Amino acid sequence: MPSRPLAHDPGRTLLRDATAAEYADTLHAVVDDLAHRFATTRQPFGGAARAELQALVDAVDLDGSPVGTADALRESADLYAAHAVWFHHPAYVAHLNCPVALPAVGAEAMLAAVNTSVDTYDQSTVATLMEQRLVAWTAARVGFAAGDGVFTSGGTQSNLQALHLAREHALLAPDGARLAGPARRARLGRLRVLATASGHFSVARSALLLGLDDDAVVAVGTDSSGRMCPDALARTLVDVERAGDVVMAVVATAGTTDRGCVDPLEPLAERCDAAGAWLHVDAAYGGGLLVSPRRRHLLDGIERARSVTVDFHKTFFQPVSSSALLVREAADLARTTWHADYLNPAREQGRPNPDLNLVDRSLQTTRRFDALKLWSTLRAVGADGIGALVDAVCDLAAAVHAELADDPELRLLAPTDLSTVLFRFQPDGVDDARADALVPRVRRVLFDSGRALVAKTVVAGRPCLKLTLLNPDATLDDVRAVLDLVRQAAHGLLAGEQLLDDAPPCRDVHPRLGRSDASALEGVAR
């Protein structure tokens, strides 16, 4: 095969002393381009169809002649940044994605360039100490006086590790020794995890990954708002014991994904303590309440949990990824430890290894120094500053709820403790079946237009639209504009249905309404 001409010097590809100037020029160009895009973005998504985007992706010859760093990054920006979903735009109100704090973005550039891995101390030095300081800070905010923890990739991994620790705790013999062989297998089949239907799906998936039985996750009853009912938990704890099974863990949620509700942690902790059950609190969404000046009381009782999940890349406004698992008793993390001679041997020169190797506490080996982002944000704006942003999005959600309380077309479906709004378009005369059918079609019309991104879910058996408000800069007028687009799309779809039900001459007059799917009506939201 003939050699291809090179558009760059391969010797100047890596970041090092000789390429420091190129590094600066490269990042300045990327930052300038992104700054321009942030300043000029007018909607959260460009609206390109998937087929169009697939064609753009497929057109790039990854085996072609190299184009050099500058051209490659310009090409990447035109492909990725030009068609990205922009979470900072006030019309993005779909999922648990947040705009990110400027100091965290700066820290991201720093940690990416240095490329520290915090699995062992000899690779990370001060980064290990900084992460541990942040873990201690977060544990203190939770109320774990002697707690510990580790940063993770997200709430799913944090929940998995928490349930792994709970499983190993449940598989101890009365003398504290680890069960093995037939005794372990017999106990494993009897382990049960108690959670509500509003809990995160990662709980059930973690149970599967941990080798529990298919029926190991037992549903606990809730109140009308989807919060775990303490009396229902008490009954379920008794039922599991009477069935001869073992409660491995109870998973409470501080900020359910759909409703944004916080389970009553204090009375749930009382029931768990009485039964000797491991209480895990999934506060991936509601963790920001730890620094809220006005809503911290919603987490009262969290200090009685055995483990807690917090996602900093949600309500602490950090770039993905940034999450942590906290434990009340530091010794619990030791159940994750696995020693390798080449990496973190248990002993050196006949003595216990003196190094602080965070791989001993983590499910990951190579791991980014994500803690630097939160560290920089805390130093830049302070915990109260972050908390004020949390309160701002919760206040905005409360204002939207008040706005929709008597709305003749948009019906609220559930309350929230945090920053979600669940509703559906259902004016008088639109029955449940038609309102159900409108939910995915309205969402699709708005997505295809790129002008607003909302989510959809099912609550109490009914499809609904969901706003997840995580932009502290968004105003009530911004949300009103999104709701107006929802109304316009829904009215357009209903009108299209009527036209399509009419005689053929009407379709001749309106040729664009030749199909009843949402794509034929995408123009109503433009």
Side-chain angles (χ1 to χ4, degrees), residues 147-172:
D148 203 348
V150 67
F151 270 64
T152 71
S153 64
T156 295
Q157 184 185 337
S158 293
N159 287 342
L160 172 62
Q161 184 166 356
L163 291 178
H164 170 258
L165 299 179
R167 185 195 69 177
E168 294 308 297
H169 179 263
L171 293 175
L172 294 177

Side-chain angles (χ1 to χ4, degrees), residues 224-225 258-259 261 401 411-416 420-423 459:
S224 60
S225 297
D258 282 336
R259 303 185 190 217
C261 288
H401 275 252
R411 298 189 180 182
L412 281 171
L413 294 188
T416 186
T420 57
V421 181
L422 298 175
F423 68 103
V459 172

Side-chain angles (χ1 to χ4, degrees), residues 3 15 73 154 178 204 261 290 309 360 384 424 475 494 526:
S3 61
L15 176 53
L73 288 171
R178 182 176 181 273
C261 288
L290 292 171
T309 288
D360 294 350
D384 287 347
R424 52 200 262 128
T475 66
L494 289 175
R526 290 189 183 276

Side-chain angles (χ1 to χ4, degrees), residues 152-213:
T152 71
S153 64
T156 295
Q157 184 185 337
S158 293
N159 287 342
L160 172 62
Q161 184 166 356
L163 291 178
H164 170 258
L165 299 179
R167 185 195 69 177
E168 294 308 297
H169 179 263
L171 293 175
L172 294 177
D175 62 358
R178 182 176 181 273
L179 289 177
R184 180 181 176 86
R185 291 192 291 273
R187 176 78 66 86
L188 185 65
R190 295 165 51 210
L191 296 185
R192 299 292 179 264
V193 177
L194 278 52
T196 70
S198 299
H200 196 258
F201 74 87
S202 62
V203 173
R205 188 164 68 176
S206 295
L208 177 67
L209 292 172
L210 292 169
L212 275 59
D213 284 355

Side-chain angles (χ1 to χ4, degrees), residues 30-45:
V30 170
V31 169
D32 288 345
D33 176 74
L34 283 174
H36 176 73
R37 294 178 190 274
F38 271 96
T40 58
T41 294
R42 295 294 176 260
Q43 59 187 50
F45 174 54

Side-chain angles (χ1 to χ4, degrees), residues 110-178:
M110 191 186 309
L111 69 92
V114 179
N115 201 30
T116 293
S117 178
V118 288
D119 48 334
T120 60
Y121 182 79
D122 65 350
Q123 298 176 71
S124 60
T125 60
V126 72
T128 285
L129 305 181
M130 293 171 73
E131 175 174 321
Q132 279 300 103
R133 175 78 182 278
L134 265 183
V135 164
W137 177 86
T138 311
R141 287 274 173 169
V142 171
F144 292 166
D148 203 348
V150 67
F151 270 64
T152 71
S153 64
T156 295
Q157 184 185 337
S158 293
N159 287 342
L160 172 62
Q161 184 166 356
L163 291 178
H164 170 258
L165 299 179
R167 185 195 69 177
E168 294 308 297
H169 179 263
L171 293 175
L172 294 177
D175 62 358
R178 182 176 181 273

Side-chain angles (χ1 to χ4, degrees), residues 54-78:
Q54 187 67 62
L56 292 174
V57 170
D58 292 345
V60 178
D61 184 1
L62 296 178
D63 290 314
S65 299
V67 298
T69 298
D71 285 346
L73 288 171
R74 277 192 292 268
E75 178 187 87
S76 296
D78 289 339

Side-chain angles (χ1 to χ4, degrees), residues 120-446:
T120 60
Y121 182 79
D122 65 350
Q123 298 176 71
S124 60
T125 60
V126 72
T128 285
L129 305 181
M130 293 171 73
E131 175 174 321
Q132 279 300 103
R133 175 78 182 278
L134 265 183
V135 164
W137 177 86
T138 311
R141 287 274 173 169
V142 171
F144 292 166
D148 203 348
V150 67
F151 270 64
T152 71
S153 64
T156 295
Q157 184 185 337
S158 293
N159 287 342
L160 172 62
Q161 184 166 356
L163 291 178
H164 170 258
L165 299 179
R167 185 195 69 177
E168 294 308 297
H169 179 263
L171 293 175
L172 294 177
D175 62 358
R178 182 176 181 273
L179 289 177
R184 180 181 176 86
R185 291 192 291 273
R187 176 78 66 86
L188 185 65
R190 295 165 51 210
L191 296 185
R192 299 292 179 264
V193 177
L194 278 52
T196 70
S198 299
H200 196 258
F201 74 87
S202 62
V203 173
R205 188 164 68 176
S206 295
L208 177 67
L209 292 172
L210 292 169
L212 275 59
D213 284 355
D214 290 344
D215 60 352
V217 179
V218 179
V220 180
T222 63
D223 63 16
S224 60
S225 297
R227 299 180 182 90
M228 185 182 288
C229 176
D231 289 341
L233 174 61
R235 291 191 295 271
T236 307
L237 287 166
V238 171
D239 290 345
V240 170
E241 183 178 2
R242 286 176 175 171
D245 295 324
V246 177
V247 175
M248 184 185 102
V250 174
V251 180
T253 308
T256 52
T257 302
D258 282 336
R259 303 185 190 217
C261 288
V262 179
D263 288 341
L265 303 180
E266 191 76 58
L268 295 178
E270 291 176 2
R271 271 61 169 191
C272 289
D273 286 349
W278 181 298
L279 174 61
H280 173 65
V281 175
D282 178 3
Y285 181 9
L289 296 174
L290 292 171
V291 292
S292 165
R294 292 187 279 114
R295 291 178 171 85
R296 172 60 176 82
H297 65 277
L298 292 172
L299 296 182
D300 286 352
I302 194 171
E303 71 282 354
R304 299 177 64 176
R306 191 74 175 257
S307 55
V308 172
T309 288
V310 176
D311 268 8
F312 301 114
H313 56 232
K314 291 186 174 69
T315 45
F316 280 77
F317 309 99
Q318 299 297 290
V320 175
S321 59
S322 185
S323 179
L325 169 67
L326 293 310
V327 294
R328 189 180 67 205
E329 301 179 19
D332 284 335
L333 279 180
R335 298 189 176 95
T336 298
T337 303
W338 195 277
H339 292 289
D341 288 339
Y342 78 95
L343 188 70
N344 62 329
R347 302 181 69 81
E348 281 193 351
Q349 297 179 336
R351 299 179 180 179
N353 189 338
D355 286 340
L356 179 58
N357 295 322
L358 296 185
V359 69
D360 294 350
R361 308 164 188 210
S362 176
L363 296 181
Q364 297 173 255
T365 305
T366 301
R367 187 162 57 82
R368 303 174 81 241
F369 180 32
D370 287 316
L372 182 64
K373 296 176 287 190
L374 180 59
W375 180 286
S376 300
T377 305
L378 283 173
R379 293 297 299 132
V381 303
D384 287 347
I386 299 173
L389 300 179
V390 175
D391 280 338
V393 295
C394 294
D395 288 344
L396 179 59
V400 176
H401 275 252
E403 183 98 350
L404 296 183
D406 299 314
D407 192 283
E409 295 183 324
L410 303 179
R411 298 189 180 182
L412 281 171
L413 294 188
T416 186
D417 293 321
L418 296 176
S419 62
T420 57
V421 181
L422 298 175
F423 68 103
R424 52 200 262 128
F425 179 87
Q426 192 170 8
D428 292 340
V430 174
D431 60 24
D432 284 343
R434 293 178 77 196
D436 288 351
L438 280 172
V439 167
R441 297 174 69 197
V442 166
R443 190 201 73 85
R444 177 58 60 182
V445 165
L446 297 184

